[in-house]
Amino acid sequence: MKVRVTTGDPTRVAGDVLALPLFELDRDKWRLPSRLGRIDAALGGRLAAVLGTGDFRGRAGDTLTVYPDDGLAARRVVLVGLGREAQLDADALRRAAGAAVRATATRRGEELAFLAPTTRRLRPPAVARALTEGAVLAGYRFEGWQEAKPDAGPGVRQVTFLYERAPDARSARRGADEGTILAESQNLARELSNQPGNALPPAELAKRAQRTAKEVGLRCRVLGPAELKRRNMGGILAVGGGSANAPRLVVLEHGKRRAAGASRGRPTICLVGKGVTFDSGGISIKPAAGMGDMKHDMSGAAAVVGAMRAVALLKLPLHVVGILGAAENMPSGTAYRPGDLVRTMAGKSVEIVNTDAEGRVVLADALHFANTEFEPDAIVDLATLTGACVIALGSWCSGLFGNDDALVERVRRAGEASAERAWPMPLWDGHKQAIRSRAGDLKNAGGREAGAGTAAAFLSHFVGDTPWAHLDIAGTGWTEKTGPYQPAGATGVGVRLLLELLQSWKKA
Ligand code: BES
Ligand code: MN
Ligand code: ZN
């Protein structure tokens, strides 16, 4: 989708839809916003008449279509509700732009002009960034596996954000460029996550990460099974051992590491993603119902690829390393078994009590590799780790755990600011005790209690003393519910949160 920012007379802009965002109107004493006066006049007063009916009150999510005769160059006017101005934030703008794109697409339109709202609450670049994110995210579709449906339109090709004042448009352009990078990166994460297990085994996930790296100028290394063996990564090898599709560890790197011994300079941050390209449960096999959803079990890794793309394109002044632990969890004669003792790269042994608790076994090696290879200032991992997290928090937020209160708080705030909420959960000694093993150092699953917390406790053993935060995105990584900028399927959650965290890294 092409995004443009211009100044111009909205009555003269051609296109399939001209979207007019409106703040919520009072039922009795509403007035036509003065900047819509010229459009209302061009429509022969029809805008005021429509608002007078009370059919559209500007509440968040409201839309109403008006058909102009000859007064306007655009073929349709779509009113889009922004909700109360006092409550306007970036996500309200994302949703409004998303609603306009969806309204255009369902009317088989390809070109949308959107009158950018002005508000004291947000500066023009922030407004443009949020609008662009909403529009580009709303334009995403998972395609490529279906014959073209005759009645489906081609989708929205171009969105133009209209500004009244040239200086506003100029500064908005920066925001729109940034928003495009963010949203296209999140769409990449969605696209990877939506691909089925047969199309995206670990080697293919690695290949796509490599391709992205090449496009945006990231360094990329892929460790195959021989290299994993050489480095004693018994965890990821055990999980991947049951599949004909061998595991991979992928390393994406942006920026330069600080000189050895230097205390100043660019901080190093590692982003680690669970990349289980399909999770059957292995020998502890899952029930058949809903098992297909486990094609999304690499959503953490997908978010890391998306975030690294944005980090590179935005040229962040940080050393950021993305690490994907990619494996397929399958039952077979070569699969790991319940009762197995597995030696991880860290040297700690893990008693496998359930082969379906595979994500943490993969992450054990990925986290230890991140920590020892890069000696980072912070590690953030993302994983569709536990069904227990879905029960605890639903799809309203990701579960947030860590060993460092300050980092956890920064991640929480980044989630709030990016509308990808993450909520702090406890990680105590008791959670660690629940995964002690009699036969080995750790076992890979605790009891039924606090399943998300004991999973996080397991991970904590592999990050040393490095500040670390863990996002359990099992409930947020994909959805059946559609939203104004969210089609059913993968969400690409984590990309916006991570960029918010990294862009504000210095200021914290
Ligand atoms: N990938 C699943 C977690 C999951 C479940 C994500 C539902 C999204 C939706 C993970 O590998 C898993 O199977 N976890 C087990 C752990 C248990 C065996 C200790 C679970 O949550 O049931
Ligand atoms: Mn599993
Ligand atoms: Zn899993």
Side-chain angles (χ1 to χ4, degrees), residues 221-244:
R221 252 193 302 161
V222 177
L223 313 191
E227 182 70 10
L228 299 177
K229 215 165 284 165
R230 207 179 61 70
R231 290 176 181 261
N232 302 315
M233 296 205 198
I236 187 171
L237 284 166
V239 172
S243 173

Side-chain angles (χ1 to χ4, degrees), residues 274 276 279 286 294 297 356 358-359 384-385:
K274 169 177 172 181
V276 173
D279 180 14
K286 287 180 181 295
M294 286 299 133
D297 209 18
D356 196 12
E358 84 297 338
T384 47
L385 203 62

Side-chain angles (χ1 to χ4, degrees), residues 64-148:
L64 187 118
T65 310
V66 180
Y67 295 90
D69 306 316
D70 304 327
L72 290 189
R75 297 175 65 196
R76 306 170 187 83
V77 171
V78 173
L79 306 180
V80 181
L82 289 169
R84 293 260 168 226
E85 181 167 12
Q87 277 150 28
L88 185 81
D89 58 11
D91 206 52
L93 294 167
R94 255 180 231 119
R95 290 195 302 265
V101 166
R102 285 176 69 124
T104 306
T106 55
R107 287 161 184 74
R108 311 187 63 193
E110 298 176 41
E111 280 182 29
L112 164 67
F114 191 107
L115 190 65
T118 49
T119 169
R120 290 228 181 92
R121 294 183 53 83
L122 287 161
R123 309 278 312 135
V127 170
R129 174 173 155 169
L131 291 173
T132 304
E133 286 176 5
V136 175
L137 288 169
Y140 172 76
R141 307 182 193 182
F142 177 47
E143 291 172 325
W145 290 90
Q146 223 164 24
E147 291 180 330

Side-chain angles (χ1 to χ4, degrees), residues 157-314:
R157 278 188 305 103
Q158 178 174 297
V159 178
T160 305
F161 293 110
L162 290 171
Y163 281 80
E164 266 154 296
R165 292 167 12 98
D168 286 351
R170 226 170 296 130
S171 68
R173 220 157 271 145
R174 253 191 307 125
D177 289 345
E178 210 171 296
T180 302
I181 290 172
L182 261 290
E184 286 180 348
S185 299
Q186 184 164 353
N187 285 344
L188 168 63
R190 288 169 167 181
E191 180 64 17
L192 292 171
S193 175
N194 280 331
Q195 289 298 335
N198 62 330
L200 200 93
E204 179 63 22
L205 176 56
K207 219 181 263 170
R208 298 213 189 184
Q210 247 167 344
R211 195 186 306 159
T212 299
K214 208 165 188 187
E215 282 165 11
V216 302
L218 293 160
R219 278 161 284 154
C220 182
R221 252 193 302 161
V222 177
L223 313 191
E227 182 70 10
L228 299 177
K229 215 165 284 165
R230 207 179 61 70
R231 290 176 181 261
N232 302 315
M233 296 205 198
I236 187 171
L237 284 166
V239 172
S243 173
N245 303 309
R248 298 284 189 280
L249 190 103
V250 183
V251 184
L252 298 162
E253 195 170 356
H254 163 82
K256 288 241 158 51
R257 183 197 295 249
R258 163 171 66 211
S263 59
R264 293 165 62 87
R266 298 187 169 189
T268 297
I269 294 131
C270 285
L271 311 176
V272 179
K274 169 177 172 181
V276 173
T277 58
F278 180 68
D279 180 14
S280 70
I283 298 297
S284 315
I285 197 162
K286 287 180 181 295
M291 199 199 276
D293 282 347
M294 286 299 133
K295 73 172 189 176
H296 294 297
D297 209 18
M298 31 58 71
S299 297
V304 171
V305 176
M308 291 304 298
R309 177 185 185 275
V311 162
L313 290 174
L314 294 172

Side-chain angles (χ1 to χ4, degrees), residues 321-393:
V321 185
I323 292 163
L324 324 177
E328 186 178 42
N329 189 22
M330 295 289 265
S332 80
T334 59
Y336 77 142
R337 318 157 187 75
D340 279 4
L341 287 160
V342 168
R343 181 75 64 191
T344 61
M345 183 190 187
K348 294 180 192 186
S349 65
V350 176
E351 178 192 358
I352 304 302
V353 301
N354 188 323
T355 64
D356 196 12
E358 84 297 338
R360 63 198 77 179
V361 180
V362 170
L363 288 172
D365 283 341
L367 289 168
H368 179 79
F369 175 84
N371 196 40
T372 52
E373 188 90 354
F374 297 99
E375 296 173 357
D377 297 87
I379 302 175
V380 180
D381 81 71
L382 300 93
T384 47
L385 203 62
T386 66
C389 191
V390 189
I391 300 302
L393 298 171

